[in-house]
Amino acid sequence: MTDIEPDVTDVEPKGRLRSTGEAFAAFVRRVPFSIALAVVLVVTAIVTGTAVGTASDATTHLWATGVTTTFVAPWTVVTALFIPFDPFQLAFGIVGAVLLLGVAERRMGTWRAILAFVVTGVLGVALGTLLQWVGSLAGEWWAAGTAADLTLDPLTGIVGALITSTAFMGVLWRRRIRVVTFAAILVFVLYDGDSSNVYRLIAAITGYFLGAILTGDASTLRARRSSHAETRTLVAAVVAVTAIGPIVALVNRTELTPFSFGSYMFDDDPVDLDVLISQCKATAAALGEDCLKQLAILSSQGFGMFLLSFVPVLLLLLAAWGLRIGRRFARWLAIAVNVAIIVFARTALDVTITTADVENGTWTVFDIGELIVWGLAVLALPIGIIVMLVVTRRHFQIRAPRPAFVRFVVTVVGSFLVLATVYYAVGLATIGEYWPAASQADLLVDTLKRFVPPHFLAVVDPIVLPGHDLTSVMYQVVGPLFWAIFIVAAVVLMRQTRSEMGFADRLRARALIRRHGGGTLGFMATWPDNVYWFSEDRDAVVAYRVINGIAITMSDPICPPDAAGRVIREFAAFCDANSWVPVFYSVHPEVLPVFEELGWQYMSVGEETLVRTTGLELTGKPWQKVRQALNRGIKEGMTTVWTTWDELPLATVAEINAISEEWVAEKELPEMGFTLGGMAELKDRDVRLMLAVGPDGRMQAVTSWLPVYRDGEVVGWTIDFMRRADGSMNGIMEFLIASAALHMKEEGAEVLSLSGAPLATKPLATGEEAPQPTAMTRLLDFLAKTLEPAYGFSSLFRFKAKFNPEYETISMAYPDPLALPTIGLAIGKAYLPEVSPKEAVALVRTLTR
């Protein structure tokens, strides 16, 4: 019996990617409830008049939720979700309905989106109102202060539905949306304290559990591991979101939260120095309580003081940017700012008590207890951020070169000394015009206070104000100018990396790769963490990295074919001069005779699988499985796109990030590096991507291909990155690689490399006998079997065998067998440079199953 298959055209099923505009148009067509809600908000805003102003008393008493209305008119817990309070909330409601609720509806369907919006919205409003009522009866500050509030807020249901939908998302966006949304809500709760923010928090928590119920999957409640890049993104997002809190407090000027320090200093009614002098006595020691309050406010007024008060915000936003790109300096900067917030928490509280209208009277035990709770809340947020930064420190290890750091320190310290000296000198020259009267010691302390945000030290003695015009200008200018210099210098510092110091070397190495090729694995020499050794004539390069005194090279030397022996000898001498042990890793058979001449030993570390694309035909029984996958993909409407990262639309970039993060999250084991590239390597302009796109325009799988050069021309491609989306077509990778092979054949490429299969042994040819096992081959077999449950090297090798490849052994050459244990540890660290305790436990658990 024979298999009958349709005719094979051996033509790549080319397609194209949807533009961002096309993707958005398709998105809008699939979210009818979200569009309908946006229309309802517009209609209700026009009918109630909130489209042009705030809601009237008649509107709020009839339709808004609150302690005074909900218990009398229960329908308000529903109507409050469909009427905006003012034009600003209308605008945010429309955007939130179309985008945020639209995302939720797109992920979990229209009926689930309606259910989530209503359930989370109603529960958020109802439970929040109940909390206010109970708290106000007990005399709790926040509840008592908001008990009279009447709230209209469509965003409560929108936020609840969005969090509900995260249970239906992949790991990447589930984690991102939850972290950023909860962080943003908490910031508004802590820095604003408006009733609507508490309702949104309750709705979000409700949605968190409702999503698990609707999916029937409790695992969606569990945190999943993330890649280095994603961890950096999430930590940066949390730091950035918490940074905006002081802005929220300043805009709202509320007394209802423990984080509203300093918002009272920028009074709508400015204080005049002459009036203050006439009303108060001449010395600070004799100032009454009201005069001290006015003096503290006056010392914090002015454009310079206003800018200085936002220094912590700017520094945290700067740190967030640096954390996003993995900078060690940014982590320490964020820690330093949060430590400062903790250190100055006591004096910041004094600022609030002094400048705010805090009622006098007897403090009850409940008031004291709540004050303690608020004080702990003040400390909890910065302490939480510091703990997060300490726990995730291994993700932020990119350092600037030492010369760059020295320049930064000199710039910052020098600027501080110059500005402080200038202010102190001008102050001394005009010290008689300060009020209250200032001594030289007072002026010295005031000089230091010029560089500290006013809401930290505004009420710390001495409080002195300059009377001379020049001193007043310096009073406002020196602090903001110093921090502007600091921020610019920090940006410059974090833009520099150690690799940039050798930028010319990298360009030179890339030019030599184009000229000489370096074999099918040669392009890996361009990857980060490699350093370069150049021959004396600058016409050859070896990429390597030093780990524990072992200099591990990245595949063959990159040089003219007849110069390999000389280059290997020169590099070995270079290593010897530095007391390193040279190890040539993943080298091809053509250079092994050189090592034999040197008396080195070598051992197989895997098999590279090669497909000759010249004249390639996917016919005959050997290609049957690949051909079936190709034909199936074509029948199902799958298409492929050959492109580069820079050419991708934003929607496609997001899909690839999501697919990759989903793959990482599903594995408890650490990511491998060295000869295995990741997302960062996809973005090289010389790397090509082959994408599989489904008939609905969604990404099904992605592969990346490294160029193979000879005499400046691309003669082949080597696969590196392979990821498939959950729910993709069976055989999607076979379909994608076969399509890539056909594309390369059409372009005139000579070879397609499926890269190396670590610890694999090629199948014996017909009539060939297996060599006698040695102690080393037994060790490699043992390692292959041991690591198989964790990384599936044998499974990968069997997958590559489907493409009828030629096999080429890749080897490791080394000069001293006694160094093998150290070499093994160094190579292990190269592949797994950063293993957390949790990942180590998962690896051991997997290996011992």
Side-chain angles (χ1 to χ4, degrees), residues 26-63:
F27 168 80
V28 170
R29 289 194 295 270
R30 296 183 180 184
V31 289
F33 172 60
S34 304
I35 301 300
L37 178 63
V39 173
V40 168
L41 294 180
V42 173
V43 172
T44 56
I46 293 174
V47 171
T48 59
T50 59
V52 293
T54 57
S56 64
D57 290 342
T59 298
T60 55
H61 283 88
L62 182 61
W63 304 115

Side-chain angles (χ1 to χ4, degrees), residues 247-452:
I247 300 177
V248 174
L250 176 66
V251 171
N252 290 282
R253 295 192 188 181
T254 176
E255 299 179 14
L256 300 175
T257 78
F259 283 85
S260 56
F261 299 154
S263 62
Y264 309 98
M265 294 185 303
F266 308 107
D267 203 293
D268 293 325
D269 230 352
V271 179
D272 182 79
L273 178 59
D274 293 333
V275 174
L276 183 61
I277 293 175
S278 66
Q279 294 177 349
C280 303
K281 296 183 180 180
T283 62
L287 291 178
E289 183 177 327
D290 185 64
C291 287
L292 180 62
K293 172 184 175 180
Q294 297 300 316
L295 181 60
I297 292 175
L298 184 57
S299 70
S300 303
Q301 288 183 347
F303 187 67
M305 293 298 99
F306 181 80
L307 293 178
L308 192 60
S309 67
F310 287 99
V311 164
V313 177
L314 296 176
L315 293 181
L316 286 175
L317 291 176
L318 173 65
W321 170 73
L323 291 168
R324 175 64 184 84
I325 56 178
R327 307 303 303 217
R328 180 185 176 95
F329 176 84
R331 183 173 72 87
W332 283 111
L333 176 61
I335 290 175
V337 174
N338 281 282
V339 167
I341 292 173
I342 295 172
V343 169
F344 290 116
R346 177 66 182 85
T347 54
L349 179 61
D350 287 342
V351 171
T352 300
I353 293 175
T354 302
T355 60
D357 293 326
V358 179
E359 294 183 3
N360 293 320
T362 303
W363 287 74
T364 66
V365 174
F366 186 87
D367 290 332
I368 296 173
E370 188 159 10
L371 181 63
I372 294 173
V373 171
W374 280 30
L376 293 176
V378 170
L379 300 177
L381 185 62
I383 289 175
I385 297 297
I386 292 171
V387 170
M388 176 187 70
L389 292 168
V390 170
V391 170
T392 60
R393 61 188 180 278
R394 71 188 184 94
H395 300 283
F396 308 101
Q397 295 298 328
I398 301 177
R399 303 186 184 190
R402 182 174 294 275
F405 184 74
V406 170
R407 286 195 299 271
F408 168 78
V409 172
V410 170
T411 300
V412 170
V413 174
S415 300
F416 174 80
L417 293 175
V418 169
L419 291 171
T421 301
V422 170
Y423 176 78
Y424 187 73
V426 173
L428 279 178
T430 60
I431 196 169
E433 299 186 46
Y434 273 83
W435 187 88
S439 66
Q440 293 185 7
D442 292 339
L443 182 59
L444 180 61
V445 174
D446 185 63
T447 299
L448 298 178
K449 287 171 67 176
R450 292 312 95 229
F451 301 91
V452 181

Side-chain angles (χ1 to χ4, degrees), residues 569-586:
R569 288 182 176 87
E570 288 182 5
F571 179 74
F574 165 74
C575 292
D576 183 62
N578 287 278
S579 298
W580 300 332
V581 177
V583 175
F584 281 80
Y585 192 79
S586 292

Side-chain angles (χ1 to χ4, degrees), residues 173-209:
W173 288 106
R174 179 191 308 161
R175 182 168 47 223
R176 282 185 177 181
I177 291 175
R178 285 178 178 178
V179 169
V180 173
T181 302
F182 275 107
I185 294 174
L186 283 172
V187 164
F188 275 88
V189 168
L190 294 172
Y191 283 93
D192 181 9
D194 186 73
S195 301
S196 60
N197 294 313
V198 177
Y199 299 165
R200 293 167 196 164
L201 178 60
I202 297 173
I205 295 172
T206 304
Y208 178 72
F209 292 101

Side-chain angles (χ1 to χ4, degrees), residues 127-181:
L127 293 177
T129 303
L130 182 62
L131 281 175
Q132 287 174 290
W133 177 64
V134 174
S136 63
L137 293 179
E140 193 275 331
W141 291 350
W142 172 80
T146 60
D149 288 356
L150 297 178
T151 301
L152 297 168
D153 185 37
L155 288 176
T156 298
I158 291 173
V159 168
L162 177 65
I163 296 298
T164 303
S165 71
T166 58
F168 294 82
M169 298 179 182
V171 173
L172 175 70
W173 288 106
R174 179 191 308 161
R175 182 168 47 223
R176 282 185 177 181
I177 291 175
R178 285 178 178 178
V179 169
V180 173
T181 302

